[in-house]
Amino acid sequence: PAGVPEVKVLVINSGSSSLKYQLFDQENWSWVLRGNVERIGEVGRSVSPDHSAALEHVLSEVVDAGIELSDISVVGHRVVHGGELFVQPTLITDEVLEGIESLTALAPLHNPANLTGIRAIKQLMPSTPQVAVFDTAFHSSIPSYASTYAISAEVAARYGIRRYGFHGTSAHYVTKQLAGLLGKPLSSINAIICHIGNGASVTAVVDGLSVDTSMGMTPLEGLVMGTRSGDIDAGVLLHLARVAGYGVADIDRLLNRDSGLQGLAGVSDMRTVRERALAGDEHALLARSVYAYRIRKYIASYLGVVPSPDAIVFTAGVGENDSALRQDIIGALGHLGLELDLNLNESKAAGDRVISSAASSIRVMVVQTNEELEIAQQAASVVTPQ
């Protein structure tokens, strides 16, 4: 009716030095405003000295767009690690804040930044409910035999060591999209979802639920990423400690910041790596080969986990846009009956689409992820009466 305000949902994705946001119209779930504040706290280079100032900037943009803050029904926050405490979207209370803070040791680079965003909104919009949506939540269905590391059970229990998995918000969204695209119930979807971006992971989905994923206790395990090593023999780290005198901080920096594409090719952005590879740069060529090979190995291994997959899905920035990489990955799996349609794969068409040939043993697709929309809808489900 005329004069009735449209209810909005604000999504905040707060990183250590950046803050992404999107504002959604809850009526039709279209975004009405979005942006990114970068270099928070960098002296002389930032518009925002801290996250509170960054969110003040965001809210001023909302008001400048003619939207009343009172029209925002809920603020949804991406929180990376929920551990075993949080396995569903959760209304944020002081107790929940303490719970998220208690998990900082499991995600020291992420959870503190997420908490900063939550506390800033609490200060700036004290009467607006906030909901935490956890990257790990979708993976809470992984069975114990897949989430358990073969170390001392006592040590694992004492320090919370197990596979938690990440990119769950994206995998959940893509699984739901796949159900709609294929006209099947969510509970019957079997798929292998390759979320390939600066951070990268593969998730095995059976009956609409995550049953395994390549990331582990932290987002470090699994695939080669922009700056992260992915899988590595733990003995390498012991060797560096013994022979080179590496301490915890040195190992942390090596694995999280100086590895992956950055370590192999000297640059973390796959677009630049691809340009250099096309120009014949040997380091870039090797980096792309290692990157693609690791993804192939995970897809092949998950074919032993996912019965009769409905699809192998590529999503996220690299997965959705790098057709040559998709060909490198799937083209080498022809012995398993997988085959891309080269024209469909190389097409610049946007949107969700099938890129495999009619002869392929398993459908291969590109499905665009939308983590912010998933966060918005999950946040709204917590505060909206059903």
Side-chain angles (χ1 to χ4, degrees):
V4 176
E6 295 177 341
V7 178
K8 306 292 191 296
V9 178
L10 178 63
V11 172
I12 300 295
N13 184 346
S14 187
S16 58
S17 62
S18 66
L19 189 149
K20 298 178 183 178
Y21 68 93
Q22 281 201 48
L23 186 68
F24 289 90
D25 179 348
Q26 198 171 338
E27 183 69 26
N28 58 16
W29 293 115
S30 62
W31 67 268
V32 294
L33 196 66
R34 62 183 176 184
N36 187 17
V37 182
E38 297 182 325
R39 295 174 175 171
I40 297 171
E42 290 188 21
V43 178
R45 303 184 69 185
S46 174
V47 298
S48 301
D50 54 35
H51 284 75
S52 182
L55 280 165
E56 285 184 14
H57 174 73
V58 168
L59 297 182
S60 69
E61 290 197 345
V62 171
V63 172
D64 289 345
I67 298 163
E68 298 289 339
L69 295 184
S70 59
D71 291 342
I72 297 175
S73 63
V74 62
V75 180
H77 293 266
R78 173 187 181 237
V79 179
V80 167
H81 217 309
E84 295 182 87
L85 291 176
F86 305 107
V87 297
Q88 58 190 4
T90 304
L91 185 69
I92 296 172
T93 62
D94 290 341
E95 184 179 8
V96 169
L97 275 174
E98 290 176 7
I100 295 171
E101 192 157 25
S102 74
L103 298 166
T104 292
L106 294 176
L109 299 179
H110 298 91
N111 274 30
N114 304 151
L115 283 166
T116 301
I118 293 169
R119 289 180 173 132
I121 285 289
K122 185 178 180 181
Q123 182 180 28
L124 295 167
M125 301 173 65
S127 62
T128 304
Q130 299 187 76
V131 171
V133 177
F134 298 91
D135 254 13
T136 50
F138 183 61
H139 300 303
S140 63
S141 54
I142 292 176
S144 58
Y145 58 77
S147 66
T148 300
Y149 291 112
I151 64 170
S152 162
E154 180 186 350
V155 171
R158 184 183 306 164
Y159 297 106
I161 298 171
R162 51 158 287 184
R163 181 179 308 283
Y164 292 100
F166 301 88
H167 294 144
T169 306
S170 172
H172 191 194
Y173 176 84
V174 169
T175 302
K176 292 194 299 183
Q177 287 294 104
L178 194 57
L181 291 166
L182 301 181
K184 297 185 63 174
L186 178 63
S187 61
S188 71
I189 292 296
N190 293 351
I192 297 170
I193 298 173
C194 304
H195 177 109
I196 313 298
N198 188 262
S201 64
V202 184
T203 295
V205 173
V206 176
D207 297 333
L209 301 174
S210 171
V211 296
D212 202 356
T213 190
S214 58
M215 284 182 167
M217 187 184 92
T218 74
L220 182 57
E221 189 181 357
L223 304 180
V224 175
M225 301 174 230
T227 64
R228 283 171 267 177
S229 66
D231 292 339
I232 187 170
D233 178 1
V236 171
L237 312 182
L238 299 175
H239 176 74
L240 288 173
R242 293 185 186 121
V243 176
Y246 272 48
V248 172
D250 300 313
I251 291 171
D252 190 331
R253 184 173 59 253
L254 172 68
L255 297 182
N256 280 299
R257 301 189 184 279
D258 298 335
S259 295
L261 296 177
Q262 180 68 42
L264 293 173
V267 62
S268 62
D269 192 306
M270 178 55 88
R271 291 167 295 189
T272 305
V273 175
R274 183 183 181 187
E275 289 172 4
R276 292 183 181 181
L278 289 171
D281 183 295
E282 292 184 6
H283 297 291
L285 285 165
L286 177 61
R288 278 184 66 91
S289 295
V290 173
Y291 191 95
Y293 178 71
R294 188 78 60 85
I295 297 169
R296 283 204 304 273
K297 282 178 62 176
Y298 267 95
I299 290 173
S301 69
Y302 283 169
L303 287 173
V305 174
V306 181
S308 304
D310 295 296
I312 295 168
V313 180
F314 288 92
T315 192
V318 178
E320 293 173 21
N321 296 298
D322 196 328
S323 60
L325 182 71
R326 296 193 299 259
Q327 176 58 37
D328 288 344
I329 294 166
I330 300 299
L333 295 174
H335 60 291
L336 299 177
L338 298 173
E339 181 180 278
L340 292 184
D341 180 304
L342 297 183
N343 291 327
L344 292 176
N345 182 49
E346 293 171 9
S347 170
K348 301 300 181 183
D352 305 333
R353 59 199 185 276
V354 175
I355 58 172
S356 51
S357 73
S360 185
S361 59
I362 301 171
R363 184 187 291 110
V364 182
M365 299 180 68
V366 171
V367 176
Q368 294 179 310
T369 193
N370 194 333
E371 292 171 277
E372 288 78 14
L373 176 57
E374 181 66 21
I375 292 169
Q377 292 178 336
Q378 288 195 32
S381 72
V382 173
V383 300
T384 303
Q386 299 299 311

